[in-house]
Amino acid sequence: MPDEEIAEEGVLTPLDTPVQDPLLREILAENQAAATPQEQSQPTPTKQEEVDCVVIGLGAGGAPLLARLAQAGLKVVALEAGPWHDPTKDFATDEKAQNFLFWNDERLAAGGNPLAMGRNNSGTGVGGSTLHYTAYTPRPLPDDLTLKRDFGQGEDWPLTYDELAPYYEEVEQFLGVSGPTPYPWGPARPKGYVLPPLPLNSAAQLMVRGAEKLGIRTSPAANAALSAPYFQEGVGWRQACTNRGFCQAGCSNGAKSSMDVTYIPVAVKFGADIRPNSFVTEIERNAQGLVSAVVYTQNGQQHRQACRHLFLCGGAVETPRLLLLNNLGLTSGQVGRNLMAHTGIQVWGTFEEEVRPTKGIPGGLISQDTHRPQDADFVGGYLLQSIGVMPVTFASQAARGRKLWGQAMRDYMRQFNHVAGINILGDCLPHADNFMELSDELDARQLPKPRLHFTAQDNEVRMTAHAEKKMRAIWEAAGATDIWAFDRYAHVIGTARMGRSGDDAVVDRDGRAFDVPNLYISDNSTFPSALSVNPALTIMALSLRTADKFLARERRRDS
């Protein structure tokens, strides 16, 4: 997906040389204030009484369960490292202006295929990475969860597709996912998508043309952006997508179902206490080894919040980082291990027709005919999807992928409005060489920076080669020229996986830590395998399921 293409990183608190001239300082301060999104005003916490639950992180993993816990009448506090944003004022049709949406603290990358971070794999702000995701929401197919059973490699999930299906349906209905009914792949569903598909942009239409000639089925993709006005329970009417195309720069009218316009308003309505700009550093435990409080910094002030239960939803980097920093859940030896990243090679071509790749929903078309190819020499499978792309993102890829610079780059970018792309999202197997650790290098908060080691293994290399050949054939059939490939890996997955035993997993099938009974994890760090689809829908489904299992356990305990 286009929001997973950039290798640049930044530091939230860079060391700048101070400006000495008073007048220049005043001018710079005024300019900075005008350029910085104004967050919603939040009261500064005072003395904190114990609450039922603290939720760390408000992306796809934290927001749904926060709403569920608040609806159940629990006293819940949510701590989010980033600020509130006002979509109508803060989300510009400008890539460079939107860098504040991404988790820009430096993360160190190592291995044979170092993973691009920055805007690649997480976000900051109330809504997390859903603020800049492209809202692709296909369901995994049932055998995505049984790689080891089917191939003897990888890991099986301790859950079945049938156990997750009701939650997939609930999320789709609540968010107002737009998509085809019936869906061409996978089991029949009791309910179709609530809204018809979004219109196909030019890149998607060209992909249809090429795929049809090769006998490859395609379909409009399931996308959590509204193709028509939609009344969302607990939220109200939301506007339809305007096909602005800059979804990765934040949706300015709320048509994209990011957490800030869906689950979080419900959580607030039922009394959840949301504290933005709250960076958690410590997790305290009592004499029994249970989580008793979290320590966080908000607007430069340190606070402590006592709690009965903790839900850690920081994603596949910050979740294991907090566990390692606080020596939590380490008995299995799996924290930080089993790092995976979707194979995501892209193939670009130039067309005589005008494409305008920034227009329309970025991911308009899908094919899961490649889910289990008959001629595969690899484990698992992948899907195909069309790509919309923003100009700075594309130029950075061309510079890295084609080694273009100067006049050659300017000449190539003149063809930007005639360029179209396809990419894959493919499975990835856990491997001992791929992991996250704490480095010796400290960040601006004097905490160890995370270091991610990733090297594509033979299975990923073979899958990528198979997919590149397939996509080149599609573009040739569609009439493309100057076809080239950009190899990449998307979505950091794993690092705190779920399983049936604390011997080789961090949490159980309900997201509950084996080592610490009142600690839960809800994000894509718990995935035992990468799945051959985008992770957001599954993260949200697991979030609701984790909340339900927790609430059921609490009811049994109180009865």
Side-chain angles (χ1 to χ4, degrees):
M1 290 167 26
D3 57 326
E4 301 149 349
E5 297 163 358
I6 297 297
E8 292 102 352
E9 297 184 56
V11 181
L12 287 178
T13 53
L15 299 176
D16 291 330
T17 303
V19 176
Q20 302 299 322
D21 183 84
L23 179 59
L24 181 56
R25 280 205 305 268
E26 183 178 345
I27 293 171
L28 290 174
E30 290 175 356
N31 289 343
Q32 179 64 28
T36 302
Q38 299 299 305
E39 66 199 48
Q40 296 184 20
S41 176
Q42 293 289 310
T44 301
T46 54
K47 182 179 178 181
Q48 303 300 341
E49 299 179 355
E50 184 182 64
V51 297
D52 294 314
C53 305
V54 166
V55 178
I56 300 175
L58 280 178
L65 67 80
L66 178 70
R68 195 76 118 212
L69 299 177
Q71 285 175 303
L74 298 182
K75 189 173 183 180
V76 289
V77 166
L79 304 174
E80 166 56 47
W84 283 94
H85 298 296
D86 181 347
T88 62
K89 298 178 180 178
D90 298 342
F91 296 161
T93 306
D94 184 323
E95 291 174 80
K96 302 303 286 185
Q98 298 306 104
N99 283 340
F100 62 82
L101 288 175
F102 312 121
W103 188 283
N104 290 312
D105 278 355
E106 186 178 39
R107 293 159 168 177
L108 307 179
N113 302 87
L115 295 175
M117 299 302 296
R119 70 178 61 183
N120 182 48
N121 281 303
S122 57
T124 182
V126 176
S129 61
T130 67
L131 296 174
H132 64 83
Y133 81 147
T134 50
Y136 237 104
T137 48
R139 294 188 189 188
L141 299 181
D143 57 6
D144 270 319
L145 281 65
T146 56
L147 282 183
K148 192 167 186 177
R149 183 200 70 184
D150 298 343
F151 295 96
Q153 297 184 52
E155 289 294 328
D156 289 345
W157 286 52
L159 298 169
T160 67
Y161 175 88
D162 289 342
E163 289 176 285
L164 290 174
Y167 291 101
Y168 287 136
E169 181 179 286
E170 179 182 348
V171 173
E172 291 162 351
Q173 299 291 313
F174 176 72
L175 296 183
V177 172
S178 303
T181 300
Y183 189 73
W185 299 276
R189 306 178 184 181
K191 291 184 179 179
Y193 291 113
V194 292
L195 294 173
L198 289 151
L200 297 180
N201 63 8
S202 296
Q205 293 175 41
L206 289 167
M207 181 177 161
V208 171
R209 185 167 78 190
E212 283 182 346
K213 292 181 179 178
L214 300 178
I216 298 171
R217 290 180 301 166
T218 60
S219 170
N223 197 286
L226 306 179
S227 61
Y230 186 66
F231 185 83
Q232 186 172 305
E233 193 68 32
V235 176
W237 282 100
R238 291 172 48 216
Q239 300 179 49
C241 175
T242 60
N243 291 298
R244 167 173 159 262
F246 276 64
C247 303
Q248 307 95 318
C251 180
S252 58
N253 75 338
K256 186 177 74 172
S257 298
S258 50
M259 298 299 95
D260 59 320
V261 297
T262 54
Y263 283 105
I264 290 172
V266 174
V268 171
K269 178 180 178 180
F270 283 90
D273 179 358
I274 294 177
R275 301 174 189 169
N277 297 314
S278 298
F279 192 95
V280 177
T281 55
E282 298 178 42
I283 300 172
E284 297 180 359
R285 283 186 285 177
N286 60 23
Q288 290 73 44
L290 300 175
V291 172
S292 57
V294 297
V295 177
Y296 64 99
T297 300
Q298 184 185 47
N299 301 324
Q301 300 292 317
Q302 190 175 84
H303 303 275
R304 179 181 180 275
Q305 176 62 63
C307 61
R308 293 177 53 234
H309 304 278
L310 177 63
F311 292 79
L312 188 50
C313 314
V317 177
E318 293 305 311
T319 284
R321 187 190 191 198
L322 271 173
L323 294 174
L324 291 168
L325 284 171
N326 291 277
N327 294 311
L328 277 175
L330 305 184
T331 302
S332 68
Q334 299 302 311
V335 172
R337 299 287 164 178
N338 312 302
L339 173 67
M340 296 170 284
H342 282 129
T343 53
I345 186 172
Q346 299 174 336
V347 172
W348 298 95
T350 301
F351 289 85
E352 184 177 345
E353 301 98 321
E354 189 172 63
V355 177
R356 293 195 174 272
T358 60
K359 301 301 181 183
I361 197 75
L365 194 76
I366 193 172
S367 176
Q368 288 185 279
D369 272 9
T370 51
H371 174 68
R372 292 287 186 269
Q374 291 185 353
D375 61 345
D377 59 349
F378 51 83
V379 169
Y382 60 89
L383 61 78
L384 299 169
Q385 55 190 28
S386 61
I387 316 172
V389 68
M390 298 183 290
V392 177
T393 298
F394 183 71
S396 71
Q397 289 192 194
R400 288 180 287 143
R402 306 194 79 177
K403 306 296 186 285
L404 296 179
W405 195 253
Q407 188 60 47
M409 171 65 84
R410 290 192 288 272
D411 291 343
Y412 181 64
M413 286 303 294
R414 288 191 181 96
Q415 300 300 311
F416 175 70
N417 282 326
H418 292 263
V419 167
I422 313 173
N423 75 269
I424 72 164
L425 210 64
D427 226 321
C428 177
L429 300 181
H431 192 276
D433 290 344
N434 296 332
F435 61 94
M436 194 222 82
E437 64 178 352
L438 299 181
S439 72
D440 294 331
E441 188 175 331
L442 302 182
D443 64 14
R445 299 180 181 88
Q446 299 304 298
L447 298 173
K449 295 178 182 178
R451 181 187 291 115
L452 286 77
H453 297 259
F454 184 79
T455 300
Q457 304 300 314
D458 288 344
N459 197 69
E460 289 78 62
V461 172
R462 289 194 295 269
M463 183 182 294
T464 294
H466 186 280
E468 181 179 351
K469 182 178 179 181
K470 183 78 66 177
M471 290 186 288
R472 283 181 179 274
I474 291 172
W475 271 165
E476 287 170 1
T481 60
D482 193 18
I483 300 171
W484 62 282
F486 181 71
D487 196 13
R488 60 190 270 281
Y489 290 85
H491 303 128
V492 172
I493 299 168
T495 66
R497 73 180 177 196
M498 68 170 69
R500 301 186 182 278
S501 166
D503 293 338
D504 60 1
V506 179
V507 298
D508 66 16
R509 64 200 305 271
D510 300 334
R512 189 186 192 195
F514 285 108
D515 286 11
V516 188
N518 68 337
L519 170 66
Y520 290 78
I521 299 176
S522 176
D523 53 40
N524 60 350
S525 70
T526 68
F527 285 24
S529 68
L531 305 178
S532 63
V533 294
N534 309 67
L537 182 70
T538 297
I539 297 171
M540 290 182 239
L542 284 173
S543 180
L544 293 177
R545 185 180 183 279
T546 294
D548 283 352
K549 294 299 181 181
F550 166 77
L551 292 170
R553 184 175 288 109
E554 287 296 286
R555 286 192 292 268
R556 291 195 300 271
R557 191 173 64 85
D558 294 339
S559 61

